[in-house]
Amino acid sequence: MDGKEWTIDTSVLYKAAETNPYAMRFLLNILIEKKHSVAFDTEGHIQIEYRNCLNKTNDTHIRKWYTHVIAKKAVFFSGQLPKKHKKKLLNQYKFDRSDLPFVAVCQQTGSKLLVSEDSDYTPQVKTYLGDELGIRVLTIEEADKRSTR
């Protein structure tokens, strides 16, 4: 099976810190399965969001997960989204600006899988991302199921 480059929104880390079983298992599967990697932006915005989460939750397991991912499972892409998509997401869909790097990175990965349960990923946004950028936004539970295939 081909490897999966996952784009993981910070909301997944927060859910794992709250001991959501699907989030915890999904993150563990990322570490266990050799075929999995985690996508980050070369500009560092996603790492800053992750570190902010680690500081807020103070969860040692997620901190160890992050350290391992950065050392062995990270892949990097530009976090710059083409202007037409950025403008549409911000203006028409009122998308959260801090989530733009996740979308930008995800659209460059081979698997185009973005895991998030943030409220700004509305059905309309999910449709737009799928139709225009080929991105599939998965819930944590959906990602958990796909991570073991």
Side-chain angles (χ1 to χ4, degrees):
M1 158 164 236
D2 289 6
K4 289 184 181 156
E5 297 166 322
W6 295 93
T7 306
I8 304 171
D9 187 81
T10 318
S11 64
V12 178
L13 299 165
Y14 283 111
K15 291 283 188 184
E18 296 167 4
T19 64
N20 174 297
Y22 297 108
M24 293 168 68
R25 187 169 55 197
F26 169 64
L27 294 179
L28 183 59
N29 286 338
I30 298 295
L31 296 183
I32 293 170
E33 296 291 333
K34 289 181 181 170
K35 63 189 172 194
H36 294 314
S37 58
V38 179
F40 292 90
D41 60 305
T42 53
E43 297 82 1
H45 298 291
I46 294 173
Q47 288 186 67
I48 290 168
E49 287 221 14
Y50 277 27
R51 284 195 297 269
N52 288 341
C53 171
L54 295 173
N55 291 335
K56 286 178 186 173
T57 64
N58 206 25
D59 187 295
T60 56
H61 293 100
I62 296 177
R63 189 174 299 280
K64 287 178 183 176
W65 176 88
Y66 173 73
T67 302
H68 182 82
V69 164
I70 289 296
K72 304 208 184 254
K73 299 250 179 193
V75 292
F76 293 87
F77 301 92
S78 170
Q80 299 300 313
L81 195 61
K83 283 184 182 167
K84 73 174 190 171
H85 298 301
K86 181 178 177 180
K87 195 173 181 181
K88 186 138 188 167
L89 286 167
L90 293 174
N91 297 337
Q92 184 173 337
Y93 297 111
K94 308 302 180 209
F95 195 71
D96 184 341
R97 183 176 292 279
S98 69
D99 285 329
L100 290 174
F102 292 93
V103 172
V105 162
C106 187
Q107 61 110 22
Q108 297 174 74
T109 65
S111 51
K112 295 190 186 318
L113 297 172
L114 195 156
V115 186
S116 180
E117 294 192 0
D118 274 359
S119 59
D120 55 330
Y121 290 96
T122 64
Q124 296 83 2
V125 168
K126 287 180 180 183
T127 298
Y128 177 79
L129 294 176
D131 292 349
E132 297 297 319
L133 299 171
I135 293 173
R136 176 125 191 248
V137 180
L138 303 174
T139 65
I140 295 168
E141 194 170 342
E142 290 169 332
D144 176 44
K145 287 177 187 170
R146 287 184 73 125
S147 68
T148 56
R149 287 188 198 160

